[in-house]
Amino acid sequence: MMFIPLSKPDISDLERRYVSEVLNSGQLSIGEKTIKFESLFIEKYKSGFAIAMNSGTSALHVAVKALGLKEGDEVITTPYSFIASGNCLLYERVTPVFVDIDPDTLNIDPKRIESAITSKTKGILVVHIFGQPCDMSSIMEVASTYGLKVIEDACEAIGAKWNGKPVGTIGDAGVFAFYPNKQITTGEGGMLVTESEDAALIARALRNQGRSTSSEWLDHEYVGYNYRISELQAALGVGQMERLEHILQKREDVAKRYTELLQRYQVEVTIPKVLPACSMSWFVYIVILPKKTDRNKIISQLLKKGIQAKPYFPSIHKQTSYVNQFGSQSGKFPVSEEMSERTLAIPFFSNMQFHEQEYVIRNLKTALDTEGER
């Protein structure tokens, strides 16, 4: 029996060398590797500014604050996401206003956004779920009409494009993340990109205890945070960015093999639809189980075969902390709730081998057939 983890980082000798250089330099924070990491993002995404931080969540929080969103404001967003995309609003007492998702793409449904706008609405926070871009043309049109800020949570979507333009660079600010299960990793880490010089200056200060570029070291212009990325993390990031296209291609190849294997073994699941305007960046590989399937039993059966699988994602509005603060909203976002019950992430990583994928799909097929017989 094999053991196949849900994810595995793709680390090479290049990254190990860069980390060793930092260790040997004695400069473990605020050094040249951080500057290099940021410059690689600016070069790659043709963005005006890039600010590295210690997590995607930190970068999302700073984006909210740097764009001037504040207590009493409302921001429209998706309930089908990792909880950080909602929490970053709550940190600043901004109210997340959820709208339901498209059942085919699992992204926020742009047709539902306009009806959720009120006099308090100041922004839209989109999440490019699982590496698939949202319909940014429709979203930016609504934002322009109503004068709304747009934050792109591209934490799962580095390298993805909408109509040829990299996600994260279409709205007012974009955020990427580098947790170990992401396309590229720094262990922990995030990046904020923006074309706004004012937002960038505020973001740089906020991540560094509120010190502005003109401040003395112990003079703090803002109430800031310790959101700095370390030089060790940045060194990892430099190596990963230099290998980005190769890593993304490997992940695309793994995704294509999965799709082919699902068809070959006639596994009765569906996968999210990729829109024609999208260039996908594969974060995870999600399957949508048939209705009324006992997902927990499927997960248990796979685990008995050494295969990790996880539910992706529970709806944010049903999380305990949100129910406690806003009350139950069960039934208000039926598509998100249904997909939260039916979606399953199966093992997916850059260096996954064909025999491992085949083992996963054969056992998924067996588990589903067994469940269907009950």
Side-chain angles (χ1 to χ4, degrees):
M1 185 178 74
M2 286 190 258
F3 172 71
I4 306 180
L6 189 63
S7 64
K8 187 186 298 184
D10 184 346
I11 305 296
S12 75
D13 288 340
L14 179 66
E15 289 89 330
R16 295 183 183 94
R17 176 161 61 86
Y18 288 163
V19 169
S20 293
E21 288 175 2
V22 170
L23 290 171
N24 292 332
S25 74
Q27 180 78 37
L28 302 186
S29 182
I30 317 177
E32 63 178 32
K33 286 293 192 288
T34 298
I35 295 170
K36 177 66 173 176
F37 190 28
E38 292 173 340
S39 70
L40 286 172
F41 256 81
I42 292 171
E43 179 183 341
K44 172 71 178 175
Y45 288 103
K46 306 296 188 290
S47 63
F49 306 92
I51 302 95
M53 298 187 207
N54 60 4
S55 74
T57 304
S58 299
L60 281 169
H61 178 202
V62 167
V64 169
K65 195 157 185 173
L67 292 179
L69 299 169
K70 60 187 183 304
E71 184 172 3
D73 292 344
E74 294 178 351
V75 169
I76 295 170
T77 190
T78 173
Y80 187 77
S81 174
F82 183 61
I83 197 169
S85 62
N87 285 353
C88 69
L89 299 168
L90 297 184
Y91 298 155
E92 293 303 312
R93 295 181 174 83
V94 175
T95 301
V97 175
F98 297 118
V99 301
D100 217 342
I101 62 172
D102 183 307
D104 293 327
T105 66
L106 308 182
N107 274 320
I108 191 170
D109 187 341
K111 298 188 296 293
R112 299 176 185 266
I113 292 175
E114 194 165 13
S115 63
I117 294 173
T118 72
S119 60
K120 296 181 179 180
T121 306
K122 303 301 179 185
I124 305 171
L125 192 156
V126 301
V127 180
H128 303 295
I129 202 75
F130 306 137
Q132 172 162 205
C134 295
D135 180 350
M136 291 306 295
S137 300
S138 299
I139 291 167
M140 293 305 294
E141 183 177 346
V142 172
S144 176
T145 299
Y146 290 90
L148 305 178
K149 298 291 187 182
V150 176
I151 298 174
E152 293 182 77
D153 179 342
C155 290
E156 300 172 1
I158 185 170
K161 297 178 181 178
W162 173 261
N163 279 331
K165 188 168 178 61
V167 300
T169 67
I170 302 170
D172 295 279
V175 172
F176 301 88
F178 316 115
Y179 191 70
N181 64 350
K182 297 297 195 296
Q183 291 92 328
I184 64 171
T185 185
T186 57
E188 295 277 4
M191 186 76 73
L192 186 157
V193 299
T194 183
E195 290 297 318
S196 167
E197 183 176 7
D198 289 342
L201 287 171
I202 294 170
R204 287 196 183 280
L206 291 176
R207 73 153 178 196
N208 190 23
Q209 301 286 14
R211 300 179 180 103
S212 70
T213 52
S214 60
S215 297
E216 296 293 332
W217 181 245
L218 294 179
D219 178 32
H220 307 268
E221 184 175 346
Y222 302 89
V223 176
Y225 316 95
N226 184 358
Y227 284 172
R228 296 185 301 267
I229 195 170
S230 75
E231 279 291 279
L232 294 169
Q233 292 169 307
L236 259 178
V238 170
Q240 294 270 280
M241 281 297 290
E242 290 179 355
R243 299 175 53 234
L244 176 62
E245 296 305 322
H246 179 55
I247 290 172
L248 293 179
Q249 184 59 58
K250 287 195 290 183
R251 296 177 79 87
E252 185 172 343
D253 293 343
V254 172
K256 285 180 179 178
R257 289 200 301 266
Y258 260 144
T259 303
E260 292 166 359
L261 284 165
L262 287 172
Q263 294 171 347
R264 181 186 306 176
Y265 283 93
Q266 298 182 324
V267 185
E268 292 187 9
V269 298
T270 55
I271 58 175
K273 179 181 179 182
V274 179
L275 297 178
C278 291
S279 175
M280 184 84 169
S281 173
W282 290 92
F283 162 52
V284 291
Y285 195 92
I286 296 295
V287 296
I288 304 172
L289 303 175
K291 291 182 178 181
K292 298 183 179 180
T293 300
D294 189 330
R295 183 174 57 188
N296 288 336
K297 288 183 179 178
I298 300 298
I299 292 172
S300 178
Q301 289 299 311
L302 291 174
L303 194 56
K304 288 177 182 177
K305 296 295 183 178
I307 300 167
Q308 286 190 335
K310 298 285 184 182
Y312 266 55
F313 278 119
S315 291
I316 297 175
H317 69 285
K318 296 191 74 173
Q319 296 270 2
T320 302
S321 58
Y322 280 73
V323 174
N324 288 343
Q325 183 165 349
F326 299 105
S328 174
Q329 299 183 72
S330 289
K332 194 171 181 181
F333 312 107
V335 182
S336 177
E337 291 179 23
E338 180 183 343
M339 290 300 106
S340 290
E341 295 297 323
R342 293 176 58 195
T343 43
L344 182 70
I346 58 177
F348 185 83
F349 43 91
S350 303
N351 292 318
M352 198 170 189
Q353 300 301 302
F354 177 81
H355 72 276
E356 294 174 311
Q357 293 186 261
E358 190 172 38
Y359 182 75
V360 170
I361 296 304
R362 281 194 290 105
N363 281 285
L364 176 61
K365 166 75 170 172
T366 300
L368 284 166
D369 288 349
T370 302
E371 174 64 17
E373 292 169 1
R374 291 186 176 139

